Amino acid sequence: MLFRSPFVFITKIFSRLIGIDIKKVSPENAIKDLETPVLLIHGQKDDQIPVENSILIHNANIKNELWIIEKAKHGESHYITQKEYESRVLNFFEKHLK
């Protein structure tokens, strides 16, 4: 939480410098026509980014895979499910990086 406000502020400044309006950025729209599969991992108890965001992104492209980790908050997914997390990520890469 301590670094969140400065990070958001710096991101806004940097995005203006490179000509991006962050209010118009839409991962859901950007991923619609993407040919590369994306693995989305999201904590069900994330208090910073609603899990619904990942669901929208997942539903925007049938190639996407979504794994919602029931007890995980923001950034806790690997900590809570270490072996399964690593296994799923490796399996995803093995499946799609042929």
Side-chain angles (χ1 to χ4, degrees), residues 31 38-46 49-55 57-58 64-93:
I31 207 163
V38 174
L39 174 61
L40 302 155
I41 302 172
H42 205 117
Q44 179 69 46
K45 297 188 179 212
D46 192 326
I49 301 171
V51 73
E52 290 77 19
N53 290 7
S54 285
I55 293 169
I57 294 168
H58 173 255
N64 295 335
E65 293 182 27
L66 174 61
W67 179 30
I68 298 173
I69 300 169
E70 204 172 304
K71 297 178 182 179
K73 292 182 181 179
H74 190 81
E76 292 182 342
S77 297
H78 182 260
Y79 175 76
I80 289 174
T81 62
Q82 289 178 5
K83 286 190 177 199
E84 184 179 5
Y85 185 103
E86 292 167 9
S87 177
R88 283 189 183 227
V89 170
L90 287 173
N91 287 336
F92 179 83
F93 284 142

Side-chain angles (χ1 to χ4, degrees), residues 22-62:
I22 60 172
K23 292 180 181 177
K24 293 182 180 178
V25 173
S26 170
E28 181 185 4
N29 288 334
I31 207 163
K32 282 182 181 174
D33 298 320
L34 191 64
E35 292 296 320
T36 305
V38 174
L39 174 61
L40 302 155
I41 302 172
H42 205 117
Q44 179 69 46
K45 297 188 179 212
D46 192 326
D47 58 352
Q48 294 182 36
I49 301 171
V51 73
E52 290 77 19
N53 290 7
S54 285
I55 293 169
L56 287 171
I57 294 168
H58 173 255
N59 292 338
N61 188 321
I62 61 169

Side-chain angles (χ1 to χ4, degrees), residues 6-24:
F7 178 75
V8 170
F9 178 74
I10 291 168
T11 301
K12 287 179 180 179
I13 290 174
F14 183 71
S15 65
R16 285 185 194 145
L17 291 173
I18 61 173
I20 295 173
D21 182 353
I22 60 172
K23 292 180 181 177
K24 293 182 180 178

